Amino acid sequence: MKTKLTVLVAFVFAAMLSSCGNDAEMEKRIANLERRINQLENGGVVRNATTPVPATTASQSVETNLTANAAFKWDNTIYNFGTIKQGEVVNYTFKFTNNGTEDLQIQSTSASCGCTVPQHTKEPIPPGGTGQIVVRYDSKGKSGQQSPVITVVANTSPRQSRLSLRGFVQVNAAPQP
């Protein structure tokens, strides 16, 4: 299972690096790969989907039975900040609802690089309550396509959720004398 996940993650990064500039197609492929990773991590059950899927009563009860008693329901898990100039700072707030039956407690948040700093709600979130992860991305020294990932660890099943920022950092070339 871990080997499949590792291979799939490697494939995701390779696909991102080798894309030919078709942003819409790349976004679609990345979303599909993230859905597959989620399925592998969750035993075939899709959680934290980026596109809302209407839930039936039967699927809600299956989801409740498979998860811990606290569960994230994200407004979205990917934020595309578009094209920015090198040195600009992007701030974004990922919002969620606890759709579980017990308090949701975030243990930690971390980012895939030092350019991204997440801050999370510290208090336990009661069932039906809302919380947020505020993310600050600093593009200083960055260029080209950027895809930092934020990992959230909580008392949910699975214990880890992933959030993503996406965008392009444009370097302003200095005029030549």
Side-chain angles (χ1 to χ4, degrees):
M1 178 72 165
K2 287 185 179 182
T3 304
K4 286 182 183 178
L5 187 57
T6 304
V7 170
L8 191 55
V9 169
F11 179 73
V12 168
F13 288 115
M16 289 169 44
L17 292 174
S18 66
S19 67
C20 298
N22 185 344
D23 290 337
E25 181 62 28
M26 182 178 72
E27 289 291 326
K28 192 177 197 180
R29 289 172 47 194
I30 290 171
N32 188 36
L33 290 170
E34 286 177 338
R35 182 185 53 77
R36 287 176 160 170
I37 291 170
N38 235 344
Q39 285 177 326
L40 285 172
E41 289 178 343
N42 300 313
V45 177
V46 178
R47 294 184 181 87
N48 299 341
T50 58
T51 55
V53 178
T56 63
T57 306
S59 67
Q60 287 173 339
S61 64
V62 169
E63 180 74 12
T64 302
N65 291 335
L66 291 175
T67 64
N69 292 327
F72 283 114
K73 180 176 183 245
W74 296 99
D75 288 356
N76 63 329
T77 57
I78 299 172
Y79 174 66
N80 187 336
F81 58 81
T83 300
I84 63 173
K85 293 181 181 173
Q86 188 178 52
E88 286 185 44
V89 174
V90 173
N91 292 297
Y92 185 74
T93 302
F94 289 96
K95 297 179 182 179
F96 63 87
T97 301
N98 176 4
N99 66 346
T101 57
E102 70 179 41
D103 287 357
L104 187 152
Q105 180 67 54
I106 298 174
Q107 277 91 34
S108 66
T109 54
S110 59
S112 58
C113 70
C115 60
T116 307
V117 179
Q119 294 181 328
H120 62 273
T121 302
K122 306 289 186 202
E123 311 79 33
I125 309 299
T130 60
Q132 59 188 22
I133 310 288
V134 178
V135 179
R136 180 180 187 274
Y137 170 75
D138 186 349
S139 67
K140 180 180 179 183
K142 301 292 181 187
S143 64
Q145 189 67 39
Q146 300 295 307
S147 301
V149 175
I150 298 90
T151 301
V152 181
V153 179
N155 63 331
T156 57
S157 179
R159 289 188 45 79
Q160 292 186 358
S161 298
R162 288 182 183 80
L163 307 171
S164 301
L165 296 178
R166 302 254 165 67
F168 189 85
V169 177
Q170 189 174 41
V171 179
N172 290 336
Q176 297 293 329

